[in-house]
């Protein structure tokens, strides 16, 4: 097996003490710039790699983080993961990914079977079917910090990083109203999720502010896939009075609605406006191009990992709740001209 150099090897090659090399690698204040540069150069030459197992024994850390995601195959969650990875790897942490498939029972099984001694912390986006969060509290009670992102648990006292779902939904609905639509439906996510309710509230408040009717039959709750969007549209179309615009909880459902409308020879934009939420790359290439609210997925991933590292480094770190704004992207699907 290939042998990696140790701190002792670097110290011997430079004829300085092991403690000086250690401080230089940690960039402490009492090592001058020229010595640090010499240490870093020699470390590269000798193929030095930090021994995280040894470091972990000293600091009672594993340098391993767990990530719990509902899914990984769509653009949004893969971008979130990239943001987490960017921070974790720069800080010298490895990542272990667990995917629940949006299954609440699987989520509980994964969490309760985690080897907590092998993790310094856990990043979590909860399952859309979850109705309990006690399993996460058990992780925290066992000394492993947890940070929630995107889909969060309201009842756990820890840091959380979220998209501004309420204002994004409010802005999306107002955009439709300003473009002349008056009978606006909402194809929503599963009931019980914090962000599903926040987007629903933003939609409802926008209608109320502009004195437009709130029609209960125009609010349809289901999953997050394109197929769910198609099914939701079919449900709306059997209503006594049909909507003239649709605000979808995410882009995949919006695209499903567009496909279902096209099959009915309904003109997107001119006859029925559609707006989504996410800014998935496919939203720009579907025809007509989909208006949407762009979510800061990469930044959510970064901020959540940064907060988890703070919880790991400071046991008494006071939890923070971070809400990041989205951005309205106007395309053809919400234009009546």
């Amino acid at each position: 097996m290939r042998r990696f150099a140790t701190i002792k090897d670097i110290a011997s090659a430079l004829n300085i003490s092991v403690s000086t090399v250690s401080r230089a690698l940690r960039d402490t204040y009492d090592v001058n710039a020229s010595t640090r540069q010499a240490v870093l150069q020699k470390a590269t030459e000798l193929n030095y790699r930090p021994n995280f197992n040894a470091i972990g024994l000293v600091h009672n850390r594993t340098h391993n983080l767990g990530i719990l995601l509902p899914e990984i195959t769509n653009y949004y969650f893969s971008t979130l993961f990239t943001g987490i990875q960017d921070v974790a790897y720069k800080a010298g942490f490895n990542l272990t990914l667990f995917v629940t498939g949006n299954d609440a029972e699987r989520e509980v099984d994964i969490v309760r079977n985690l080897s907590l001694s092998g993790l310094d912390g856990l990043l979590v986006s909860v399952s859309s079917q979850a109705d309990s969060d006690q399993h996460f509290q058990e992780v925290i009670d066992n000394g492993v910090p947890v940070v929630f992102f995107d889909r969060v648990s309201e009842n756990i006292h820890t840091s959380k990083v979220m998209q501004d779902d309420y204002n994004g939904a409010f802005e999306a609905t107002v955009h439709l109203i300003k473009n002349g639509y008056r009978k606006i439906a909402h194809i929503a996510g599963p009931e019980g999720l914090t962000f599903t309710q926040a987007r629903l509230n933003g939609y409802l408040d926008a209608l109320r502010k502009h004195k437009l009717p709130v029609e209960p039959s125009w609010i349809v709750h289901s999953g997050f896939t394109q197929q769910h969007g198609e099914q939701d549209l079919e449900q709306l179309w059997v209503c006594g009075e049909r909507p003239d615009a649709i605000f979808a909880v995410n882009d995949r459902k919006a695209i499903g609605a567009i496909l279902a409308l096209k099959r009915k020879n309904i003109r997107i934009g001119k006859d029925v406006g559609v707006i989504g939420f996410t800014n998935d790359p496919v939203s720009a290439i579907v025809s007509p191009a989909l208006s949407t609210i762009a979510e800061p997925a990469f930044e959510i991933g970064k901020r959540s990992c940064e907060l988890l590292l703070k919880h790991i480094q400071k046991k008494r770190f006071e939890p923070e709740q971070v809400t990041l704004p989205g951005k309205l992207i106007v395309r053809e699907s919400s234009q009546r001209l």
Side-chain angles (χ1 to χ4, degrees), residues 118-188:
L119 294 176
D120 288 334
L122 186 64
L123 288 159
V124 175
S125 184
V126 301
S127 166
S128 61
Q129 302 171 16
D131 56 5
S132 171
D133 46 29
Q134 183 56 37
H135 46 299
F136 296 120
Q137 188 60 55
E138 291 170 5
V139 172
I140 294 172
D141 291 344
N142 277 290
V144 176
V146 173
V147 168
F148 292 100
F149 61 93
D150 186 56
R151 303 183 191 178
V152 306
S153 171
E154 285 292 307
N155 301 318
I156 305 295
H157 184 59
T158 189
S159 292
K160 299 162 189 175
V161 183
M162 295 165 287
Q163 149 78 27
D164 192 344
D165 297 296
Y166 174 86
N167 282 316
F170 187 92
E171 187 174 11
T173 308
V174 168
H175 167 71
L176 291 172
I177 295 169
K178 287 182 176 179
N179 278 274
Y181 303 102
R182 291 295 179 267
K183 298 184 288 185
I184 302 169
H186 178 37
I187 52 177

Side-chain angles (χ1 to χ4, degrees), residues 22-170:
S22 177
R23 295 198 308 277
L25 291 172
R26 289 183 284 116
D27 195 20
T28 61
Y29 72 93
D30 56 348
V31 177
N32 63 53
S34 60
T35 300
R36 182 172 185 273
Q37 183 58 40
V39 168
L40 293 176
Q41 183 175 338
K42 186 59 65 176
T44 301
E45 291 174 7
L46 296 178
N47 199 33
Y48 168 74
R49 297 288 185 276
N51 185 340
F52 286 129
N53 288 331
I55 295 170
L57 289 172
V58 174
H59 298 286
N60 194 28
R61 291 183 191 160
T62 66
H63 280 82
N64 293 322
L65 304 178
I67 306 174
L68 194 67
L69 288 177
E71 51 186 298
I72 193 63
T73 54
N74 72 65
Y75 162 79
Y76 179 72
F77 282 114
S78 62
T79 305
L80 270 172
F81 181 81
T82 303
I84 293 169
Q85 182 177 259
D86 185 70
V87 173
Y89 286 177
K90 286 177 181 177
F93 282 80
N94 297 310
L95 300 174
T96 302
L97 176 63
F98 304 93
V99 181
T100 66
N102 269 315
D103 187 305
E105 289 185 10
R106 178 160 176 74
E107 176 184 281
V108 173
D109 286 343
I110 289 172
V111 173
R112 289 194 166 148
N113 286 289
L114 286 174
S115 176
L116 297 182
S117 62
L119 294 176
D120 288 334
L122 186 64
L123 288 159
V124 175
S125 184
V126 301
S127 166
S128 61
Q129 302 171 16
D131 56 5
S132 171
D133 46 29
Q134 183 56 37
H135 46 299
F136 296 120
Q137 188 60 55
E138 291 170 5
V139 172
I140 294 172
D141 291 344
N142 277 290
V144 176
V146 173
V147 168
F148 292 100
F149 61 93
D150 186 56
R151 303 183 191 178
V152 306
S153 171
E154 285 292 307
N155 301 318
I156 305 295
H157 184 59
T158 189
S159 292
K160 299 162 189 175
V161 183
M162 295 165 287
Q163 149 78 27
D164 192 344
D165 297 296
Y166 174 86
N167 282 316
F170 187 92

Side-chain angles (χ1 to χ4, degrees), residues 224 309 321:
F224 294 111
L309 295 181
Q321 183 163 308

